[in-house]
Amino acid sequence: MKPKVLWVEDSARLELANLCGPVFFKGACDLTLAEDVTTAVNLILAERFDVLILDIRLPPGSDVHWRHHYRRTGSNKVNAQLGIKLLYWLLGRDRAIHPAAPPVWIRPDRIGVFTVETRHEISPYLDELQIKVSQEKNADLPDTILDELIERLLSQAPVVVE
Amino acid sequence: MSGADSIQDVLERVDLTQLPVGVYVIAEDGRFLACNASARVVLGLPSEGPPSGSITELHVDLDRHAELVKAAQQAEREGSGFERAVVHLRIDTRDVFVEDCLYPLRAQPGGELIGYVGCMIDITEDHQATERNLALQDKVEELTLDIGRILHANTSTLLMVNQTLVAVAGALAPPELDCNSVEASDPQRIEIWIEHTAAALGQALERLVTAGEPERRLQALPEHAWKQLSNQIALLREYRERIPIEELRNPTLRISAAAVASLCHGIAPHVLPREPVRDATRLAMELQRAVCCADVRTTRAAVIQMDFTLRALRDFITAEMRPREHRERLRVPMLIQEAIAQLAEFARSSNVDLVWRERPHDLLVFGSERDLLRALANLLHNAIKYSWRRDRGKPPWVSIRTEERAGMACMEFESWGVPITHDEIERGLIYQMGYRGKWSTDRGRLGTGIGLTDALRVATAHGGDLLVDSQPAQVSGLRPEDDAYYRNPFLTRVTLRLPVCE
């Protein structure tokens, strides 16, 4: 069975579509996309993923709680940093973010962050959450970067067939 | 009346001591003769007793006192009263700015000059705030010009990118599709080209992996390479099923085609029948071309959009720096025609049809052509950008209407797609600088959030207004509180209304 990967990224079908090519070409994992936080949470609550790769500047989607967080910061993806809030909720660090309980299978070594923010900018959060894999987006990246991130996470937390 | 004491007596007699402005009397050489309480505070003099020292010692500019005296004498001669001037003093180590005026003081009778009476107000805080504001304004102006220059340079880069993409598209597109430029190319036809080529490549690979004897095949390529080629057959045949998201198919096909082409080029010559190798190589390269052609189209649409955004931003930022635009009588159809011409390329690259209904030829408005065109282009750009595609065979459209209603020239842009919520319209959020619509960001559309702000500003400056209305396109029974309500398409109408000019 192939590892299941969820990529939470609102530009995945647009500017970053090329990054999915190598993943599908290799066919080594099942890649699913979520383009907003609500969709990501619904998918995560419905099925188990071996790897999660998250953007930080995400739109909220339709869920009222995520929309509330979004509105509180002026309805601006850059200020809202919903990806950080999603991480805190996923790893059970802040239950006030969303009333739903995060699934028990979530582990920090299965999560990677792929964002325009530098590691330095978000390191206080990532260090606290013990997330080691992060990649800054820039124009120089090869189109294999998503595949490489998936490999790094899978080698950090190998998938065990139960 | 003569001497310091008697003048001080006069001041006290007329009760000038507690006036909230500083009143002082100086001798001809600038020595203080008398001061009221406020002047003593401003000038840092003792609160009681005869004032000591000279006002000339307090001036930062030594010539300033002589200038003020000269001006006071001239004003007296001309009978023009007090001349106010801003004076920079240094009291101890403090910089103090006062608004000061002097008037000659003459003995009665005789009329000889015995000194000057002065009146001053401490304006240090106001003066320093003004200085800071002026410095800040200089910086803003400098920054504005810098931003304008940077945006201009980026616009030139985009122009270069655009022209290169057009040339690349011309080189990639096959003559039988009759689309040797991006303008003429039809996305549906490119999609069909990709679909057919991928299927043909799958078949060619099937023939290739069974061509010749097994031993000869292994002489031509190592075993793992044959395995890689075999794996591509299923991917090329089933890419639609394997990759449900349409936008992710082309990047995968491009990599697949490149891998096949590379493997085919590595096949040892004269070992396998020539035809299957040649077919697979040719089709792999054609698939690469077809996918790149589609990518060029998508990239060009993004470049055109970015170009418009940058130009709108540059116009907006430098609006205050430009001289006031000339205003004249303008024909509404001409304005709409020009706005459509500006956005035609963007509409074409976004695969959106522009439909102009009702166009009265005699409708006139009075205003700045440049500003009104920018406002109309912003509205049209938004309408194109936020249009949804209804189905595969039918491009979305933006409907434009121009008509006269109650003495106003109405220019309406109607699009079908991204909703604007009632709340955003009611609270005027959509007109706020930098605001991006609640449902506009989810679809990854580039924008600055100044389009409607600028359009409203232009409308108001021309005595008009802007009306925005967004309603569900179909009756669904859903309520605004329902999750799916704003997931459905909305009909959005934005109308620029300007007074009709006779």
Side-chain angles (χ1 to χ4, degrees), chain B residues 348-387:
Chain B
R348 203 158 37 223
S349 65
S350 306
N351 199 30
V352 172
D353 287 343
L354 302 181
V355 184
W356 185 6
R357 306 173 204 277
E358 299 167 41
R359 46 177 97 179
H361 291 286
D362 52 350
L363 205 48
L364 289 169
V365 291
F366 186 76
S368 149
E369 184 176 351
R370 180 179 176 147
D371 287 346
L372 289 176
L373 261 180
R374 190 175 72 249
L376 289 169
N378 269 323
L379 300 181
L380 183 54
H381 184 259
N382 277 351
I384 297 168
K385 189 167 60 167
Y386 295 122
S387 287

Side-chain angles (χ1 to χ4, degrees), chain B residues 275-335:
Chain B
E275 200 176 326
V277 178
R278 193 190 55 202
D279 283 353
T281 310
R282 181 182 58 79
L283 286 164
M285 291 173 72
E286 185 176 333
L287 184 56
Q288 274 184 291
R289 276 209 323 275
V291 172
C292 285
C293 201
D295 285 352
V296 163
R297 203 175 197 289
T298 311
T299 307
R300 191 156 175 266
V303 165
I304 290 169
Q305 164 134 348
M306 185 185 268
D307 176 60
F308 181 86
T309 307
L310 284 182
R311 278 191 289 120
L313 188 60
R314 193 181 68 199
D315 258 18
F316 184 78
I317 286 175
T318 56
E320 301 297 324
M321 312 291 287
R322 291 194 300 270
R324 189 182 152 86
E325 299 288 338
H326 166 69
R327 291 195 175 191
E328 58 190 316
R329 285 152 66 95
L330 299 162
R331 287 182 58 240
V332 170
M334 181 276 291
L335 290 170

Side-chain angles (χ1 to χ4, degrees), chain A residues 10 12-15 17-18 20-22 24-25 33 35-36 39 59-63 67 70-71 75 77 143, chain B residues 232 235 242-245 247-248 251-252 254-256 259 295 435-436 438-439 441-445 483 487:
Chain A
D10 59 328
R13 283 193 300 144
L14 303 153
E15 294 88 350
N18 283 340
C20 296
F24 284 116
F25 169 69
L33 293 184
E35 293 171 81
D36 58 64
T39 309
S62 57
D63 180 277
R67 294 201 75 81
Y70 186 64
R71 272 200 302 273
S75 296
K77 282 195 294 187
D143 64 358
Chain B
Q232 297 314 304
L235 177 64
R242 288 192 183 197
I243 310 167
I245 299 171
E247 291 87 343
L248 306 185
T252 312
R254 191 177 55 233
I255 292 171
S256 173
D295 285 352
Y435 182 81
R436 305 289 315 280
K438 273 184 189 172
W439 297 97
T441 50
D442 286 17
R443 301 176 70 84
R445 290 172 165 86
D483 275 359
R487 296 273 180 211

